[in-house]
Amino acid sequence: MKPYHSTRSNSNTIDASQAILNGLAYDGGLYVCPLNEKVNLKEMLSYSYQKKAETIFKLFLNDFNEEEIQKCIQNAYTGTFDVEMITPLVPVGDDAVLELFHGPTSAFKDVALQILPHFMQTAKKKQNIEQDIVILTATSGDTGKAAMEGFADVEGCKIFVYYPANGVSEVQKRQMQTQKGKNVGVVGVEGNFDDCQRTVKEIFMSEKSSNEVMYSSANSINIGRLIPQIVYYFEAYGQMLEKGMIQIDEPVNFSVPTGNFGNILAGYIAKQLGLPIAKLICASNENHVLTEFIQTGVYDANREFKKTNSPSMDILISSNLERLLYYMCQDCEQVADYMNQLSRNKTYEVSEAMKSSIQEIFYSGMCNEQETCEMIKACYEKYDYLMDTHTAVAYKVTQDFKNQKMNSYKTIVLSTASPYKFSEAVLESLCNHSSENEFERMKQLHEITGVKIPEKLAELSSLQPIHTNIVKIDEMKEYVKRKLGE
Ligand SMILES: *Cc1c(COP(=O)(O)O)cnc(C)c1O
């Protein structure tokens, strides 16, 4: 039986490999599969990260065999993260922080983007696709670098990344411009992120896939990005247990800095698979569409977009929420109706029943820029723990959750980036002064806190930029064609 179908229609079902290659369903929906299996928790918790990953992947990658799954895991998680356990848990006060940023680009997206290329390569073989897969990605900073790092030198795949030439940080720009690999290309665009995103979609539509290439995408609507994120929820629970912070079967809360709802949805899936999760805490910055949605049942994207100091969560249309809606009602027509309303009016309201079932599982809250900085400082002073701005948003909402005495279980805060990726805001939070140069700021932050700078970020200032081209918006298409001709 083929398990995957669109959130908006279940008349056509496909295998995991096809879903990974397609990315988005033909009707604009996202791929979903039934969640009716449970893992054996005790057994699962005794496994290594890699073996936990294997157990999860076997449940979701229905047409991958054991050997293929093991090979993907080995390629993705051997020697690529700077700690052996991949996602280490650090106790902070009564609770804990799960550090998801130990991969090559120092953001949590590495956990999924280190393995997605291997899933794709395997999927391509299974579906007898002979053309090269060409990944086009528009990025506002983190995704582009993590995707290139994952796809660099992966056989049969090419990746091209567009970033707004004046819209990313120095560190992010340098990370992308120094990317190695013979199958990668990255270019700055004279426009903003929306221009990049819109034009990439236009290129997809006008070029279609041909005999020579098949276009695909690496953004977070792909099930190949969602599935790897389920693993670290189990890993976190296992590490809590090992540290004696909880007893087996004791419920915990997870607090997640949320943008596109991918990370926290993986937590929802972990709960369905039997992980004892009490509440999933959905934390937003000032773009708090989700806070409002979870509290009122009304999703309303008619509001001003705000640029904040947690930029990876600056988002108004949270794509993966569509999957939650499906799981809450299991009714494709209903989901399609909500999504039509969203695209027509930028708003929809879910039924009272749906709202209450969402509230049973999710708590939501927001944190503004000033509170973010205060949290970084307070946490550093009280617990000697340095966190980035995104993590601080989740930490702040966790404090609200606890102050409201929602429950008395332990909470695990997911940390999505190294503080050195956002040194400007982090440094300002601690000491109110900062240098003009981002690499100087990293050094200052290190001098003050003694926290180690991730090696790959430290070496950036001495690397020679390779990809320094800038194109106009209407030259973006020509850029891919030229690169493909090379
Ligand atoms: C992408 C990102 C997020 C948001 O994750 P979603 O899965 O989109 O909710 C949070 N923090 C950082 C640092 C990110 O890069």
Side-chain angles (χ1 to χ4, degrees):
M1 211 199 56
K2 302 187 175 191
Y4 288 90
H5 65 81
S6 166
T7 42
R8 301 183 195 179
S9 146
N10 54 12
S11 55
N12 187 26
T13 60
I14 60 174
D15 288 322
S17 62
Q18 189 70 59
I20 288 169
L21 290 172
N22 292 2
L24 196 67
Y26 62 94
D27 58 4
L30 309 193
Y31 289 115
V32 282
C33 67
L35 300 177
N36 38 27
E37 288 188 69
K38 296 267 183 266
V39 300
N40 179 328
L41 189 63
K42 272 219 176 78
E43 210 173 274
M44 181 76 163
L45 296 176
S46 70
Y47 294 156
S48 67
Y49 189 96
Q50 286 80 357
K51 181 87 188 188
K52 286 190 189 87
E54 187 181 329
T55 311
I56 300 287
F57 296 170
K58 278 180 183 161
L59 297 176
F60 289 92
L61 302 177
N62 67 299
D63 62 335
F64 283 46
N65 65 36
E66 184 170 312
E67 196 188 330
E68 287 165 337
I69 288 176
Q70 287 171 348
K71 206 169 142 223
C72 288
I73 292 171
Q74 192 170 9
N75 284 329
Y77 301 132
T78 313
T80 47
F81 285 65
D82 67 13
V83 283
E84 204 173 314
M85 60 206 338
I86 311 289
T87 59
L89 181 106
V90 183
V92 174
D94 289 341
D95 299 310
V97 171
L98 185 73
E99 296 186 345
L100 301 175
F101 56 76
H102 288 275
T105 78
S106 302
F108 98 100
K109 294 192 170 64
D110 285 327
V111 179
L113 280 164
Q114 280 295 302
I115 200 158
L116 178 68
H118 303 292
F119 285 165
M120 268 199 184
Q121 208 181 19
T122 312
K124 196 179 149 203
K125 275 196 207 112
K126 304 191 87 61
Q127 298 286 335
N128 294 314
I129 307 261
E130 297 193 344
Q131 308 101 296
D132 275 350
I133 293 182
V134 175
I135 308 285
L136 298 183
T137 304
T139 184
S140 58
D142 283 343
T143 303
K145 174 64 184 180
M148 281 195 285
E149 192 66 36
F151 278 95
D153 291 327
V154 170
E155 199 68 39
C157 298
K158 293 194 165 89
I159 176 160
F160 301 108
V161 170
Y162 299 95
Y163 68 90
N166 294 314
V168 300
S169 76
E170 261 335 284
V171 168
Q172 288 174 321
K173 184 183 286 183
R174 189 67 71 93
Q175 276 189 306
M176 291 191 275
Q177 289 187 335
T178 56
Q179 178 64 47
K180 298 193 176 82
K182 53 185 186 308
N183 61 339
V184 311
V186 51
V187 71
V189 175
E190 289 177 10
N192 60 27
F193 171 68
D194 287 332
D195 298 321
C196 298
Q197 172 95 352
R198 188 189 63 246
T199 313
V200 161
K201 280 189 189 151
E202 282 166 17
I203 301 174
F204 271 125
M205 312 257 238
S206 73
E207 293 304 290
K208 296 258 165 53
S209 299
S210 67
N211 289 334
E212 277 118 52
V213 298
M214 173 179 183
Y215 288 98
S216 189
S217 106
N219 61 24
S220 73
I221 49 173
N222 197 311
I223 59 152
R225 272 192 63 178
L226 187 60
I227 296 165
Q229 297 180 346
I230 303 165
V231 181
Y232 51 69
Y233 283 87
F234 285 92
E235 177 64 27
Y237 192 89
Q239 289 185 42
M240 286 290 273
L241 201 60
E242 221 165 77
K243 290 189 188 325
M245 296 177 77
I246 51 168
Q247 305 290 314
I248 184 86
D249 293 330
E250 182 177 330
V252 295
N253 308 303
F254 279 91
S255 180
V256 188
T258 300
N260 224 354
F261 211 77
N263 201 358
I264 196 166
L265 185 76
Y268 170 79
I269 297 175
K271 182 175 164 71
Q272 300 314 109
L273 295 178
L275 188 66
I277 296 180
K279 282 273 182 192
L280 287 161
I281 301 173
C282 176
S284 302
N285 66 23
E286 282 158 87
N287 296 292
H288 57 284
V289 186
L290 286 168
T291 311
E292 209 175 85
F293 171 70
I294 291 171
Q295 286 170 7
T296 66
V298 177
Y299 193 98
D300 187 359
N302 287 304
R303 62 182 73 217
E304 207 166 321
F305 176 87
K306 184 150 195 297
K307 256 180 104 113
T308 73
N309 58 11
S310 47
S312 304
M313 294 154 67
D314 291 345
I315 187 161
L316 293 180
I317 301 282
S318 208
S319 325
N320 272 295
L321 186 64
E322 181 170 347
R323 287 193 165 105
L324 181 72
L325 298 181
Y326 170 78
Y327 284 123
M328 288 290 147
C329 67
Q330 312 261 345
D331 177 348
C332 296
E333 266 178 52
Q334 179 71 76
V335 176
D337 182 45
Y338 290 147
M339 291 302 118
N340 283 335
Q341 290 182 44
L342 181 64
S343 74
R344 269 201 312 270
N345 314 321
K346 288 187 138 184
T347 181
Y348 61 88
E349 177 170 10
V350 297
S351 68
E352 199 58 36
M354 186 121 143
K355 185 178 91 181
S356 357
S357 24
I358 290 174
Q359 287 175 346
E360 246 167 63
I361 304 172
F362 294 87
Y363 170 90
S364 70
M366 64 160 291
C367 171
N368 67 30
E369 287 192 289
Q370 194 192 332
E371 291 166 330
T372 305
C373 293
E374 287 167 2
M375 206 68 247
I376 292 173
K377 186 173 160 80
C379 198
Y380 180 69
E381 288 177 349
K382 191 161 178 202
Y383 301 115
D384 201 21
Y385 185 79
L386 186 67
M387 55 178 57
D388 97 295
T389 48
H390 303 75
T391 311
V393 166
Y395 199 83
K396 156 71 169 59
V397 176
T398 304
Q399 303 318 304
D400 295 343
F401 177 88
K402 288 166 72 162
N403 291 337
Q404 289 167 25
K405 302 204 175 1
M406 300 303 295
N407 67 36
S408 55
Y409 301 124
K410 295 269 190 305
T411 299
I412 300 168
V413 177
L414 301 196
S415 177
T416 49
S418 157
Y420 286 102
K421 259 205 125 160
F422 301 94
S423 356
E424 182 171 14
V426 174
L427 193 60
E428 276 172 9
S429 310
L430 296 187
C431 66
N432 279 322
H433 73 85
S434 111
S435 151
E436 281 292 294
N437 176 298
E438 238 169 299
F439 298 104
E440 279 303 315
R441 288 198 285 264
M442 276 193 204
K443 276 198 207 129
Q444 282 181 356
L445 192 54
H446 173 69
E447 277 157 19
I448 296 172
T449 63
V451 174
K452 194 169 172 288
I453 306 177
E455 232 164 80
K456 289 220 153 98
L457 293 185
E459 73 186 21
L460 274 181
S461 64
S462 64
L463 288 183
Q464 205 50 40
I466 321 171
H467 311 276
T468 52
N469 275 1
I470 294 195
V471 297
K472 295 195 168 57
I473 298 167
D474 61 10
E475 293 167 343
M476 286 173 62
K477 184 163 162 184
E478 196 188 302
Y479 169 80
V480 190
K481 297 197 133 178
R482 191 172 74 241
K483 295 299 273 189
L484 287 175
E486 273 173 12

